[in-house]
Each structure stands twice: as C-alpha cells, then as structure tokens.
Amino acid sequence: MQPMISFKNVNKYYKDFHALKNINLSVYEGEILCIIGPSGSGKSTLIRCINKLEDYDDTGEIIVNSSIVRDEKSLKAIRKEVGMVFQSFNLYPHLTILDNVTLAPIRVSGLSVVEAKKIANNFLTKVGVGDQIKKYPNQLSGGQQQRVAIARALAMQPKILLFDEPTSSLDPEMVNEVLDVIKNLANTGVTMIIATHEMSFARSVADKIIFMDNGSIIEVGDPVQIFDNSQEERTQSFLNSVYVK
C-alpha cells in the first residue's frame, strides 16, 4: 500500500541550526499519527514542511498523495487536500464565524455561496459552535475559536488534517473541549498528523506515535510500545518527566 505522506531523507536548516535531521517517515491513509517531544524538538517544523509553509533542503523529498511537495505545479493541489489547524486560531477578526469558514471554499474551491454556507453550517454544528455563526471571533472563547478553526479546515474537505499543537494557546479548562472534537474526527477516516504536548490524548487517539528530540525521530511505535515498552532511554526520560500513568 502506498503511503499518503512520505518523508525521504528530509533535512531543514535555519542558517546554522539543523532543525530536521534526516527524517524518514511514512503515513498511510486514515492513519492518526501523533508527534510528541520537548519544545524545540522539530515537531512543528516537520508538520509545516508537509504543505511547504516551511521549505526543506534539496537533498530530501516529501511526497503527498503521489505529488512532490517541492513541485510548484503540485503545491496548489496539495494545499487543497491538506487542512491545517495552527497553535493560534488565525481567524479573521473582521469576519463573522460563518464568513471565516466559507471564505476558502468560495475563493479557492469555487463553490457557490449557498453551497459553501451549507458545508460550513454542517461542520460548525459538528464541532459544537453551530449556534455562533453570526458572532465575531473576539466574542468567542479560545476553545470555541479553535473549534471554528477546525471547522474552517474541514470545510475544504481535505484528505489530510494537520494539527500544530492545537491546544497550546488555550486556557487549561478549554483544552479538553478541543481535544474531544479532534477525537471525534479520528473516527471519520481522515488522515491526521497531530503535534501535541497532551500525552494522555496522544495515547488514546493515535494509531502511531513518533517521539522527536533535537530535530531527529528517536522512536516510532504504537501507543503501547511508546508509553509502556519504549526501547529508547531518551523517550523514557521524557515520558517520565511529563506523563503520569
């Protein structure tokens, strides 16, 4: 079976800083991959390379659904298939919730206003903010805004969803409401890559987990292997410091 996403010897430098080191990784259709590791380990950079929000070195290659990310002709199509949810919500403050979600389907996908609104209403309802469509972002809580951001990504009907530490900007009491939405999405068959500091969430939702440190993938495995039977000392020391069983 062909992977949906492939990293082949991917490196990323910021001047002299080696942010990603020889990354080799395959993600298959419908798979839920969680990326864990300390801050600065390369989690966000890895995710942002998938849709070329960050470029990577010429020596490596990222392939998304049979298209090479570096190929400018393919990049537009790739970005239509890949939805992204950021650490900060990145909603347009001057647009209503409904307009935030319909903007890309209308302008990028060419949907009619009626069709875009129907899709937007459906996903806003699914993530639990269907009653907020006439409000503006600053009238919503952080958790609600992040759920709108998830609905916005879903409205493009992507094959792949990327989450770059989606709860890191939230107050602690709002974290679970967003994680619950993502857990529900995990049952829909969409391929998901999630960089997260939430260990219990990663364990419960992931099919596969990678532990990163200092720009490298240190260990790959299913949740039981990573959390209960890790073979790498660095993985064990990280989990001992952040995860309470």
Side-chain angles (χ1 to χ4, degrees):
M1 183 171 61
Q2 282 287 104
M4 180 74 83
I5 304 169
S6 293
F7 286 75
K8 299 180 179 180
N9 302 314
V10 172
N11 288 271
K12 168 68 178 177
Y13 284 87
Y14 295 101
K15 296 184 178 179
D16 294 331
F17 177 64
H18 201 174
L20 293 178
K21 301 175 181 176
N22 201 38
I23 301 296
N24 289 279
L25 177 68
S26 294
V27 183
Y28 292 89
E29 185 174 2
E31 193 169 44
I32 311 300
L33 170 70
C34 283
I35 309 172
I36 64 172
S39 296
S41 60
K43 302 186 299 296
S44 294
T45 302
L46 186 152
I47 281 182
R48 291 170 68 88
C49 284
I50 293 172
N51 54 5
K52 210 182 176 187
L53 293 178
E54 296 282 357
D55 207 350
Y56 53 96
D57 288 13
D58 292 341
T59 54
E61 190 172 71
I62 301 176
I63 300 172
V64 177
N65 207 15
S66 301
S67 297
I68 298 172
V69 171
R70 185 168 281 111
D71 183 356
E72 292 295 333
K73 292 181 180 178
S74 302
L75 189 57
K76 186 175 181 180
I78 288 171
R79 286 178 171 167
K80 282 186 178 182
E81 294 182 345
V82 179
M84 181 90 175
V85 179
F86 299 89
Q87 295 179 32
S88 53
F89 323 122
N90 289 0
L91 300 175
Y92 292 107
H94 63 291
L95 297 179
T96 65
I97 297 311
L98 183 62
D99 288 341
N100 263 281
V101 178
T102 59
L103 186 65
I106 293 169
R107 292 193 177 181
V108 178
S109 299
L111 298 186
S112 69
V113 173
V114 171
E115 190 173 6
K117 285 184 176 180
K118 181 178 178 181
I119 291 169
N121 276 303
N122 175 47
F123 286 118
L124 286 165
T125 298
K126 279 189 175 181
V127 301
V129 287
D131 57 344
Q132 307 291 327
I133 61 172
K134 294 182 179 179
K135 291 185 178 179
Y136 291 85
N138 65 2
Q139 296 176 291
L140 272 58
S141 70
Q144 288 174 320
Q145 288 186 63
Q146 191 62 297
R147 284 187 276 158
V148 172
I150 293 170
R152 179 180 58 186
L154 290 169
M156 290 296 289
Q157 302 179 78
K159 295 179 180 178
I160 299 164
L161 273 175
L162 309 176
F163 293 87
D164 182 9
E165 299 187 22
T167 60
S168 64
S169 296
L170 300 177
D171 292 333
E173 66 268 23
M174 297 177 184
V175 168
N176 284 336
E177 68 180 62
V178 172
L179 294 182
D180 286 343
V181 169
I182 299 173
K183 284 181 181 179
N184 289 334
L185 293 177
N187 299 318
T188 64
V190 65
T191 306
M192 295 167 61
I193 301 180
I194 308 164
T196 183
H197 287 298
E198 302 291 336
M199 296 300 109
S200 295
F201 165 74
R203 177 167 189 154
S204 68
V205 78
D207 298 308
K208 182 164 69 183
I209 292 175
I210 65 174
F211 170 69
M212 293 188 70
D213 189 33
N214 197 28
S216 297
I217 294 177
I218 306 299
E219 192 168 6
V220 182
D222 62 36
V224 172
Q225 177 184 332
I226 296 297
F227 285 94
D228 296 337
N229 194 33
S230 169
Q231 303 302 300
E232 297 292 335
E233 184 177 341
R234 180 66 185 98
T235 310
Q236 293 170 17
S237 66
F238 171 76
L239 290 174
N240 287 339
S241 69
V242 301
Y243 177 60
V244 179
K245 295 182 181 180

